[in-house]
Amino acid sequence: MPEYEKAMRPEDITRLFVERSNAGDAEGVAALYEKDAVMAYPPGSTTVGRDAIRDLWAQVLAHRPRFEPEEPLPTLVSGDIALTSTPPRDGAGARAQVVRRQPDGSWLRLLDQPEFVTPGR
């Protein structure tokens, strides 16, 4: 795996995600997740593990979507765990991630809820 910039603050992960996604770098996106991370995507299912997350993002990024930075909501930190979130530009709910500080001081995603779907929608 290439050497990637590390997220030294929980909020850095969102910026790095946007940069790497817009570059079509599924490997770089996957590098933002812990080895056994869980992502609630596609809607209604989960993707478990960095390798599966990389494969999922390779499929998504093949369509060349364009991501725009979203202003983060205040981060909640408790020791080595943090909750990050952003309100989507379309106003539909929110995005939330649980991130964990790594032994080198950087942060990686442990749980990722990229879309909250309102029940019955």
Side-chain angles (χ1 to χ4, degrees), residues 82-118:
L83 175 67
T84 62
S85 56
T86 55
R89 289 185 180 274
D90 62 10
R95 306 179 203 290
Q97 303 81 33
V98 174
V99 299
R100 182 167 28 205
R101 189 184 338 254
Q102 305 300 300
D104 67 358
S106 67
W107 295 81
L108 292 175
R109 285 181 174 167
L110 175 63
L111 301 171
D112 186 4
Q113 178 77 52
E115 295 181 0
F116 282 92
V117 179
T118 303

PDB file of all heavy atoms in Angstrom, residues 82-118:
ATOM      1  N   ALA A  82     -13.792   8.960  18.907  1.00  0.00           N
ATOM      2  CA  ALA A  82     -14.454  10.221  18.570  1.00  0.00           C
ATOM      3  C   ALA A  82     -15.618   9.948  17.628  1.00  0.00           C
ATOM      4  O   ALA A  82     -15.620   8.967  16.873  1.00  0.00           O
ATOM      5  CB  ALA A  82     -13.467  11.190  17.921  1.00  0.00           C
ATOM      6  N   LEU A  83     -16.601  10.828  17.698  1.00  0.00           N
ATOM      7  CA  LEU A  83     -17.744  10.796  16.793  1.00  0.00           C
ATOM      8  C   LEU A  83     -17.654  12.026  15.915  1.00  0.00           C
ATOM      9  O   LEU A  83     -17.641  13.159  16.419  1.00  0.00           O
ATOM     10  CB  LEU A  83     -19.061  10.802  17.574  1.00  0.00           C
ATOM     11  CG  LEU A  83     -20.336  10.900  16.735  1.00  0.00           C
ATOM     12  CD1 LEU A  83     -20.530   9.645  15.889  1.00  0.00           C
ATOM     13  CD2 LEU A  83     -21.537  11.132  17.636  1.00  0.00           C
ATOM     14  N   THR A  84     -17.565  11.814  14.610  1.00  0.00           N
ATOM     15  CA  THR A  84     -17.556  12.916  13.665  1.00  0.00           C
ATOM     16  C   THR A  84     -18.846  12.850  12.862  1.00  0.00           C
ATOM     17  O   THR A  84     -19.415  11.771  12.668  1.00  0.00           O
ATOM     18  CB  THR A  84     -16.340  12.864  12.718  1.00  0.00           C
ATOM     19  OG1 THR A  84     -16.390  11.662  11.942  1.00  0.00           O
ATOM     20  CG2 THR A  84     -15.035  12.917  13.493  1.00  0.00           C
ATOM     21  N   SER A  85     -19.311  14.000  12.395  1.00  0.00           N
ATOM     22  CA  SER A  85     -20.534  14.019  11.597  1.00  0.00           C
ATOM     23  C   SER A  85     -20.550  15.258  10.719  1.00  0.00           C
ATOM     24  O   SER A  85     -19.898  16.255  11.009  1.00  0.00           O
ATOM     25  CB  SER A  85     -21.766  13.977  12.498  1.00  0.00           C
ATOM     26  OG  SER A  85     -21.743  15.041  13.416  1.00  0.00           O
ATOM     27  N   THR A  86     -21.307  15.151   9.633  1.00  0.00           N
ATOM     28  CA  THR A  86     -21.511  16.270   8.732  1.00  0.00           C
ATOM     29  C   THR A  86     -22.960  16.261   8.274  1.00  0.00           C
ATOM     30  O   THR A  86     -23.533  15.195   8.077  1.00  0.00           O
ATOM     31  CB  THR A  86     -20.607  16.195   7.478  1.00  0.00           C
ATOM     32  OG1 THR A  86     -20.821  14.943   6.824  1.00  0.00           O
ATOM     33  CG2 THR A  86     -19.150  16.347   7.813  1.00  0.00           C
ATOM     34  N   PRO A  87     -23.549  17.440   8.107  1.00  0.00           N
ATOM     35  CA  PRO A  87     -24.879  17.496   7.501  1.00  0.00           C
ATOM     36  C   PRO A  87     -24.716  17.522   5.979  1.00  0.00           C
ATOM     37  O   PRO A  87     -23.976  18.359   5.462  1.00  0.00           O
ATOM     38  CB  PRO A  87     -25.454  18.820   8.018  1.00  0.00           C
ATOM     39  CG  PRO A  87     -24.242  19.669   8.259  1.00  0.00           C
ATOM     40  CD  PRO A  87     -23.118  18.738   8.600  1.00  0.00           C
ATOM     41  N   PRO A  88     -25.331  16.600   5.248  1.00  0.00           N
ATOM     42  CA  PRO A  88     -25.201  16.622   3.789  1.00  0.00           C
ATOM     43  C   PRO A  88     -25.735  17.924   3.203  1.00  0.00           C
ATOM     44  O   PRO A  88     -26.653  18.532   3.743  1.00  0.00           O
ATOM     45  CB  PRO A  88     -26.059  15.437   3.330  1.00  0.00           C
ATOM     46  CG  PRO A  88     -26.158  14.559   4.518  1.00  0.00           C
ATOM     47  CD  PRO A  88     -26.119  15.476   5.707  1.00  0.00           C
ATOM     48  N   ARG A  89     -25.138  18.332   2.101  1.00  0.00           N
ATOM     49  CA  ARG A  89     -25.548  19.578   1.445  1.00  0.00           C
ATOM     50  C   ARG A  89     -27.013  19.541   1.038  1.00  0.00           C
ATOM     51  O   ARG A  89     -27.671  20.565   0.977  1.00  0.00           O
ATOM     52  CB  ARG A  89     -24.687  19.836   0.209  1.00  0.00           C
ATOM     53  CG  ARG A  89     -23.268  20.223   0.562  1.00  0.00           C
ATOM     54  CD  ARG A  89     -22.493  20.581  -0.706  1.00  0.00           C
ATOM     55  NE  ARG A  89     -21.144  20.949  -0.369  1.00  0.00           N
ATOM     56  CZ  ARG A  89     -20.762  22.167  -0.015  1.00  0.00           C
ATOM     57  NH1 ARG A  89     -21.637  23.117   0.058  1.00  0.00           N
ATOM     58  NH2 ARG A  89     -19.506  22.422   0.264  1.00  0.00           N
ATOM     59  N   ASP A  90     -27.551  18.339   0.754  1.00  0.00           N
ATOM     60  CA  ASP A  90     -28.946  18.248   0.313  1.00  0.00           C
ATOM     61  C   ASP A  90     -29.922  18.302   1.488  1.00  0.00           C
ATOM     62  O   ASP A  90     -31.134  18.221   1.302  1.00  0.00           O
ATOM     63  CB  ASP A  90     -29.177  16.995  -0.522  1.00  0.00           C
ATOM     64  CG  ASP A  90     -28.925  15.700   0.235  1.00  0.00           C
ATOM     65  OD1 ASP A  90     -28.752  15.722   1.479  1.00  0.00           O
ATOM     66  OD2 ASP A  90     -28.908  14.643  -0.416  1.00  0.00           O
ATOM     67  N   GLY A  91     -29.393  18.410   2.727  1.00  0.00           N
ATOM     68  CA  GLY A  91     -30.247  18.532   3.896  1.00  0.00           C
ATOM     69  C   GLY A  91     -30.913  17.245   4.328  1.00  0.00           C
ATOM     70  O   GLY A  91     -31.763  17.249   5.215  1.00  0.00           O
ATOM     71  N   ALA A  92     -30.548  16.130   3.724  1.00  0.00           N
ATOM     72  CA  ALA A  92     -31.186  14.849   4.033  1.00  0.00           C
ATOM     73  C   ALA A  92     -30.451  14.155   5.175  1.00  0.00           C
ATOM     74  O   ALA A  92     -29.520  13.396   4.949  1.00  0.00           O
ATOM     75  CB  ALA A  92     -31.212  13.954   2.790  1.00  0.00           C
ATOM     76  N   GLY A  93     -30.851  14.432   6.399  1.00  0.00           N
ATOM     77  CA  GLY A  93     -30.281  13.729   7.544  1.00  0.00           C
ATOM     78  C   GLY A  93     -28.880  14.174   7.882  1.00  0.00           C
ATOM     79  O   GLY A  93     -28.591  15.354   7.919  1.00  0.00           O
ATOM     80  N   ALA A  94     -28.000  13.200   8.090  1.00  0.00           N
ATOM     81  CA  ALA A  94     -26.622  13.488   8.461  1.00  0.00           C
ATOM     82  C   ALA A  94     -25.758  12.286   8.124  1.00  0.00           C
ATOM     83  O   ALA A  94     -26.262  11.217   7.799  1.00  0.00           O
ATOM     84  CB  ALA A  94     -26.523  13.796   9.955  1.00  0.00           C
ATOM     85  N   ARG A  95     -24.464  12.495   8.207  1.00  0.00           N
ATOM     86  CA  ARG A  95     -23.488  11.414   8.066  1.00  0.00           C
ATOM     87  C   ARG A  95     -22.747  11.357   9.390  1.00  0.00           C
ATOM     88  O   ARG A  95     -22.465  12.396   9.982  1.00  0.00           O
ATOM     89  CB  ARG A  95     -22.503  11.713   6.951  1.00  0.00           C
ATOM     90  CG  ARG A  95     -23.145  12.034   5.630  1.00  0.00           C
ATOM     91  CD  ARG A  95     -22.076  12.334   4.575  1.00  0.00           C
ATOM     92  NE  ARG A  95     -22.570  13.129   3.491  1.00  0.00           N
ATOM     93  CZ  ARG A  95     -23.425  12.729   2.562  1.00  0.00           C
ATOM     94  NH1 ARG A  95     -23.912  11.508   2.613  1.00  0.00           N
ATOM     95  NH2 ARG A  95     -23.803  13.530   1.589  1.00  0.00           N
ATOM     96  N   ALA A  96     -22.415  10.161   9.859  1.00  0.00           N
ATOM     97  CA  ALA A  96     -21.716  10.049  11.139  1.00  0.00           C
ATOM     98  C   ALA A  96     -20.691   8.926  11.064  1.00  0.00           C
ATOM     99  O   ALA A  96     -20.910   7.910  10.402  1.00  0.00           O
ATOM    100  CB  ALA A  96     -22.705   9.778  12.267  1.00  0.00           C
ATOM    101  N   GLN A  97     -19.574   9.154  11.760  1.00  0.00           N
ATOM    102  CA  GLN A  97     -18.512   8.155  11.817  1.00  0.00           C
ATOM    103  C   GLN A  97     -17.958   8.083  13.228  1.00  0.00           C
ATOM    104  O   GLN A  97     -17.803   9.105  13.882  1.00  0.00           O
ATOM    105  CB  GLN A  97     -17.350   8.507  10.865  1.00  0.00           C
ATOM    106  CG  GLN A  97     -17.728   8.682   9.417  1.00  0.00           C
ATOM    107  CD  GLN A  97     -18.298  10.043   9.114  1.00  0.00           C
ATOM    108  OE1 GLN A  97     -17.923  11.040   9.702  1.00  0.00           O
ATOM    109  NE2 GLN A  97     -19.242  10.080   8.193  1.00  0.00           N
ATOM    110  N   VAL A  98     -17.655   6.868  13.654  1.00  0.00           N
ATOM    111  CA  VAL A  98     -16.895   6.661  14.886  1.00  0.00           C
ATOM    112  C   VAL A  98     -15.475   6.384  14.442  1.00  0.00           C
ATOM    113  O   VAL A  98     -15.231   5.517  13.593  1.00  0.00           O
ATOM    114  CB  VAL A  98     -17.462   5.481  15.712  1.00  0.00           C
ATOM    115  CG1 VAL A  98     -16.570   5.204  16.914  1.00  0.00           C
ATOM    116  CG2 VAL A  98     -18.897   5.780  16.148  1.00  0.00           C
ATOM    117  N   VAL A  99     -14.546   7.166  14.992  1.00  0.00           N
ATOM    118  CA  VAL A  99     -13.140   7.020  14.636  1.00  0.00           C
ATOM    119  C   VAL A  99     -12.339   6.697  15.886  1.00  0.00           C
ATOM    120  O   VAL A  99     -12.760   7.004  17.003  1.00  0.00           O
ATOM    121  CB  VAL A  99     -12.602   8.283  13.922  1.00  0.00           C
ATOM    122  CG1 VAL A  99     -13.362   8.534  12.627  1.00  0.00           C
ATOM    123  CG2 VAL A  99     -12.674   9.507  14.808  1.00  0.00           C
ATOM    124  N   ARG A 100     -11.202   6.030  15.684  1.00  0.00           N
ATOM    125  CA  ARG A 100     -10.376   5.640  16.831  1.00  0.00           C
ATOM    126  C   ARG A 100      -8.946   6.088  16.599  1.00  0.00           C
ATOM    127  O   ARG A 100      -8.397   5.936  15.508  1.00  0.00           O
ATOM    128  CB  ARG A 100     -10.433   4.120  17.012  1.00  0.00           C
ATOM    129  CG  ARG A 100      -9.642   3.660  18.210  1.00  0.00           C
ATOM    130  CD  ARG A 100      -9.880   2.232  18.648  1.00  0.00           C
ATOM    131  NE  ARG A 100     -10.281   1.280  17.637  1.00  0.00           N
ATOM    132  CZ  ARG A 100     -10.973   0.176  17.912  1.00  0.00           C
ATOM    133  NH1 ARG A 100     -11.344  -0.107  19.138  1.00  0.00           N
ATOM    134  NH2 ARG A 100     -11.289  -0.660  16.958  1.00  0.00           N
ATOM    135  N   ARG A 101      -8.353   6.627  17.673  1.00  0.00           N
ATOM    136  CA  ARG A 101      -6.948   7.029  17.621  1.00  0.00           C
ATOM    137  C   ARG A 101      -6.089   5.768  17.546  1.00  0.00           C
ATOM    138  O   ARG A 101      -6.270   4.818  18.296  1.00  0.00           O
ATOM    139  CB  ARG A 101      -6.578   7.848  18.856  1.00  0.00           C
ATOM    140  CG  ARG A 101      -5.201   8.478  18.756  1.00  0.00           C
ATOM    141  CD  ARG A 101      -4.749   9.229  20.001  1.00  0.00           C
ATOM    142  NE  ARG A 101      -5.808   9.665  20.882  1.00  0.00           N
ATOM    143  CZ  ARG A 101      -6.218  10.929  21.006  1.00  0.00           C
ATOM    144  NH1 ARG A 101      -5.675  11.879  20.285  1.00  0.00           N
ATOM    145  NH2 ARG A 101      -7.171  11.236  21.866  1.00  0.00           N
ATOM    146  N   GLN A 102      -5.115   5.808  16.658  1.00  0.00           N
ATOM    147  CA  GLN A 102      -4.197   4.698  16.451  1.00  0.00           C
ATOM    148  C   GLN A 102      -2.950   4.897  17.318  1.00  0.00           C
ATOM    149  O   GLN A 102      -2.698   5.990  17.819  1.00  0.00           O
ATOM    150  CB  GLN A 102      -3.831   4.615  14.963  1.00  0.00           C
ATOM    151  CG  GLN A 102      -5.037   4.505  14.035  1.00  0.00           C
ATOM    152  CD  GLN A 102      -5.884   3.285  14.301  1.00  0.00           C
ATOM    153  OE1 GLN A 102      -5.413   2.161  14.201  1.00  0.00           O
ATOM    154  NE2 GLN A 102      -7.156   3.501  14.671  1.00  0.00           N
ATOM    155  N   PRO A 103      -2.147   3.847  17.486  1.00  0.00           N
ATOM    156  CA  PRO A 103      -0.949   3.976  18.326  1.00  0.00           C
ATOM    157  C   PRO A 103       0.000   5.107  17.903  1.00  0.00           C
ATOM    158  O   PRO A 103       0.692   5.677  18.745  1.00  0.00           O
ATOM    159  CB  PRO A 103      -0.270   2.609  18.190  1.00  0.00           C
ATOM    160  CG  PRO A 103      -1.406   1.666  17.906  1.00  0.00           C
ATOM    161  CD  PRO A 103      -2.359   2.462  17.048  1.00  0.00           C
ATOM    162  N   ASP A 104       0.008   5.463  16.610  1.00  0.00           N
ATOM    163  CA  ASP A 104       0.892   6.547  16.147  1.00  0.00           C
ATOM    164  C   ASP A 104       0.263   7.936  16.300  1.00  0.00           C
ATOM    165  O   ASP A 104       0.844   8.928  15.881  1.00  0.00           O
ATOM    166  CB  ASP A 104       1.321   6.311  14.696  1.00  0.00           C
ATOM    167  CG  ASP A 104       0.175   6.415  13.705  1.00  0.00           C
ATOM    168  OD1 ASP A 104      -1.001   6.640  14.115  1.00  0.00           O
ATOM    169  OD2 ASP A 104       0.430   6.267  12.491  1.00  0.00           O
ATOM    170  N   GLY A 105      -0.946   8.004  16.881  1.00  0.00           N
ATOM    171  CA  GLY A 105      -1.619   9.277  17.083  1.00  0.00           C
ATOM    172  C   GLY A 105      -2.570   9.674  15.970  1.00  0.00           C
ATOM    173  O   GLY A 105      -3.322  10.635  16.108  1.00  0.00           O
ATOM    174  N   SER A 106      -2.548   8.944  14.863  1.00  0.00           N
ATOM    175  CA  SER A 106      -3.478   9.245  13.770  1.00  0.00           C
ATOM    176  C   SER A 106      -4.848   8.639  14.084  1.00  0.00           C
ATOM    177  O   SER A 106      -5.008   7.911  15.065  1.00  0.00           O
ATOM    178  CB  SER A 106      -2.936   8.695  12.444  1.00  0.00           C
ATOM    179  OG  SER A 106      -2.932   7.277  12.460  1.00  0.00           O
ATOM    180  N   TRP A 107      -5.843   8.947  13.245  1.00  0.00           N
ATOM    181  CA  TRP A 107      -7.209   8.483  13.453  1.00  0.00           C
ATOM    182  C   TRP A 107      -7.669   7.706  12.226  1.00  0.00           C
ATOM    183  O   TRP A 107      -7.339   8.067  11.092  1.00  0.00           O
ATOM    184  CB  TRP A 107      -8.147   9.667  13.679  1.00  0.00           C
ATOM    185  CG  TRP A 107      -7.865  10.416  14.932  1.00  0.00           C
ATOM    186  CD1 TRP A 107      -6.903  11.364  15.121  1.00  0.00           C
ATOM    187  CD2 TRP A 107      -8.533  10.274  16.185  1.00  0.00           C
ATOM    188  NE1 TRP A 107      -6.944  11.826  16.413  1.00  0.00           N
ATOM    189  CE2 TRP A 107      -7.942  11.180  17.085  1.00  0.00           C
ATOM    190  CE3 TRP A 107      -9.595   9.483  16.633  1.00  0.00           C
ATOM    191  CZ2 TRP A 107      -8.360  11.312  18.404  1.00  0.00           C
ATOM    192  CZ3 TRP A 107     -10.023   9.615  17.942  1.00  0.00           C
ATOM    193  CH2 TRP A 107      -9.409  10.516  18.820  1.00  0.00           C
ATOM    194  N   LEU A 108      -8.452   6.641  12.465  1.00  0.00           N
ATOM    195  CA  LEU A 108      -9.068   5.861  11.390  1.00  0.00           C
ATOM    196  C   LEU A 108     -10.531   5.628  11.721  1.00  0.00           C
ATOM    197  O   LEU A 108     -10.919   5.557  12.893  1.00  0.00           O
ATOM    198  CB  LEU A 108      -8.371   4.509  11.216  1.00  0.00           C
ATOM    199  CG  LEU A 108      -6.935   4.519  10.695  1.00  0.00           C
ATOM    200  CD1 LEU A 108      -6.369   3.112  10.693  1.00  0.00           C
ATOM    201  CD2 LEU A 108      -6.883   5.126   9.291  1.00  0.00           C
ATOM    202  N   ARG A 109     -11.334   5.449  10.668  1.00  0.00           N
ATOM    203  CA  ARG A 109     -12.749   5.142  10.861  1.00  0.00           C
ATOM    204  C   ARG A 109     -12.920   3.704  11.332  1.00  0.00           C
ATOM    205  O   ARG A 109     -12.323   2.789  10.782  1.00  0.00           O
ATOM    206  CB  ARG A 109     -13.528   5.333   9.561  1.00  0.00           C
ATOM    207  CG  ARG A 109     -13.746   6.779   9.222  1.00  0.00           C
ATOM    208  CD  ARG A 109     -14.540   6.948   7.956  1.00  0.00           C
ATOM    209  NE  ARG A 109     -14.838   8.370   7.757  1.00  0.00           N
ATOM    210  CZ  ARG A 109     -15.302   8.872   6.629  1.00  0.00           C
ATOM    211  NH1 ARG A 109     -15.540   8.083   5.596  1.00  0.00           N
ATOM    212  NH2 ARG A 109     -15.548  10.154   6.532  1.00  0.00           N
ATOM    213  N   LEU A 110     -13.767   3.544  12.325  1.00  0.00           N
ATOM    214  CA  LEU A 110     -14.140   2.236  12.849  1.00  0.00           C
ATOM    215  C   LEU A 110     -15.547   1.878  12.391  1.00  0.00           C
ATOM    216  O   LEU A 110     -15.815   0.763  11.957  1.00  0.00           O
ATOM    217  CB  LEU A 110     -14.064   2.264  14.376  1.00  0.00           C
ATOM    218  CG  LEU A 110     -14.522   1.041  15.133  1.00  0.00           C
ATOM    219  CD1 LEU A 110     -13.663  -0.158  14.799  1.00  0.00           C
ATOM    220  CD2 LEU A 110     -14.487   1.324  16.633  1.00  0.00           C
ATOM    221  N   LEU A 111     -16.470   2.847  12.493  1.00  0.00           N
ATOM    222  CA  LEU A 111     -17.853   2.700  12.053  1.00  0.00           C
ATOM    223  C   LEU A 111     -18.198   3.881  11.160  1.00  0.00           C
ATOM    224  O   LEU A 111     -17.855   5.022  11.485  1.00  0.00           O
ATOM    225  CB  LEU A 111     -18.813   2.691  13.252  1.00  0.00           C
ATOM    226  CG  LEU A 111     -18.580   1.598  14.297  1.00  0.00           C
ATOM    227  CD1 LEU A 111     -19.449   1.853  15.520  1.00  0.00           C
ATOM    228  CD2 LEU A 111     -18.880   0.226  13.707  1.00  0.00           C
ATOM    229  N   ASP A 112     -18.877   3.614  10.047  1.00  0.00           N
ATOM    230  CA  ASP A 112     -19.215   4.683   9.111  1.00  0.00           C
ATOM    231  C   ASP A 112     -20.675   4.552   8.709  1.00  0.00           C
ATOM    232  O   ASP A 112     -21.083   3.523   8.167  1.00  0.00           O
ATOM    233  CB  ASP A 112     -18.318   4.598   7.874  1.00  0.00           C
ATOM    234  CG  ASP A 112     -18.495   5.750   6.908  1.00  0.00           C
ATOM    235  OD1 ASP A 112     -19.261   6.683   7.199  1.00  0.00           O
ATOM    236  OD2 ASP A 112     -17.854   5.710   5.837  1.00  0.00           O
ATOM    237  N   GLN A 113     -21.435   5.587   8.997  1.00  0.00           N
ATOM    238  CA  GLN A 113     -22.847   5.668   8.599  1.00  0.00           C
ATOM    239  C   GLN A 113     -22.939   6.823   7.606  1.00  0.00           C
ATOM    240  O   GLN A 113     -23.197   7.964   7.983  1.00  0.00           O
ATOM    241  CB  GLN A 113     -23.740   5.919   9.811  1.00  0.00           C
ATOM    242  CG  GLN A 113     -25.208   6.064   9.487  1.00  0.00           C
ATOM    243  CD  GLN A 113     -25.868   4.742   9.203  1.00  0.00           C
ATOM    244  OE1 GLN A 113     -25.780   3.798   9.980  1.00  0.00           O
ATOM    245  NE2 GLN A 113     -26.518   4.659   8.075  1.00  0.00           N
ATOM    246  N   PRO A 114     -22.663   6.546   6.290  1.00  0.00           N
ATOM    247  CA  PRO A 114     -22.613   7.647   5.341  1.00  0.00           C
ATOM    248  C   PRO A 114     -23.973   8.242   4.981  1.00  0.00           C
ATOM    249  O   PRO A 114     -24.042   9.355   4.485  1.00  0.00           O
ATOM    250  CB  PRO A 114     -21.943   7.043   4.121  1.00  0.00           C
ATOM    251  CG  PRO A 114     -22.148   5.576   4.245  1.00  0.00           C
ATOM    252  CD  PRO A 114     -22.280   5.280   5.703  1.00  0.00           C
ATOM    253  N   GLU A 115     -25.044   7.496   5.201  1.00  0.00           N
ATOM    254  CA  GLU A 115     -26.377   8.002   4.914  1.00  0.00           C
ATOM    255  C   GLU A 115     -27.339   7.499   5.967  1.00  0.00           C
ATOM    256  O   GLU A 115     -27.365   6.294   6.256  1.00  0.00           O
ATOM    257  CB  GLU A 115     -26.884   7.493   3.563  1.00  0.00           C
ATOM    258  CG  GLU A 115     -26.089   7.997   2.376  1.00  0.00           C
ATOM    259  CD  GLU A 115     -26.649   7.479   1.058  1.00  0.00           C
ATOM    260  OE1 GLU A 115     -27.659   6.731   1.076  1.00  0.00           O
ATOM    261  OE2 GLU A 115     -26.068   7.812   0.035  1.00  0.00           O
ATOM    262  N   PHE A 116     -28.079   8.403   6.551  1.00  0.00           N
ATOM    263  CA  PHE A 116     -29.172   7.999   7.415  1.00  0.00           C
ATOM    264  C   PHE A 116     -30.431   8.049   6.566  1.00  0.00           C
ATOM    265  O   PHE A 116     -30.719   9.073   5.949  1.00  0.00           O
ATOM    266  CB  PHE A 116     -29.331   8.948   8.616  1.00  0.00           C
ATOM    267  CG  PHE A 116     -28.326   8.694   9.683  1.00  0.00           C
ATOM    268  CD1 PHE A 116     -27.125   9.388   9.702  1.00  0.00           C
ATOM    269  CD2 PHE A 116     -28.553   7.747  10.672  1.00  0.00           C
ATOM    270  CE1 PHE A 116     -26.186   9.165  10.691  1.00  0.00           C
ATOM    271  CE2 PHE A 116     -27.630   7.521  11.661  1.00  0.00           C
ATOM    272  CZ  PHE A 116     -26.432   8.225  11.673  1.00  0.00           C
ATOM    273  N   VAL A 117     -31.147   6.941   6.500  1.00  0.00           N
ATOM    274  CA  VAL A 117     -32.366   6.886   5.711  1.00  0.00           C
ATOM    275  C   VAL A 117     -33.547   6.939   6.670  1.00  0.00           C
ATOM    276  O   VAL A 117     -33.619   6.165   7.620  1.00  0.00           O
ATOM    277  CB  VAL A 117     -32.407   5.591   4.870  1.00  0.00           C
ATOM    278  CG1 VAL A 117     -33.683   5.517   4.068  1.00  0.00           C
ATOM    279  CG2 VAL A 117     -31.185   5.513   3.967  1.00  0.00           C
ATOM    280  N   THR A 118     -34.449   7.881   6.420  1.00  0.00           N
ATOM    281  CA  THR A 118     -35.629   8.002   7.265  1.00  0.00           C
ATOM    282  C   THR A 118     -36.510   6.776   7.054  1.00  0.00           C
ATOM    283  O   THR A 118     -36.779   6.392   5.911  1.00  0.00           O
ATOM    284  CB  THR A 118     -36.419   9.277   6.888  1.00  0.00           C
ATOM    285  OG1 THR A 118     -35.544  10.394   7.011  1.00  0.00           O
ATOM    286  CG2 THR A 118     -37.628   9.453   7.779  1.00  0.00           C
TER     287      THR A 118
END
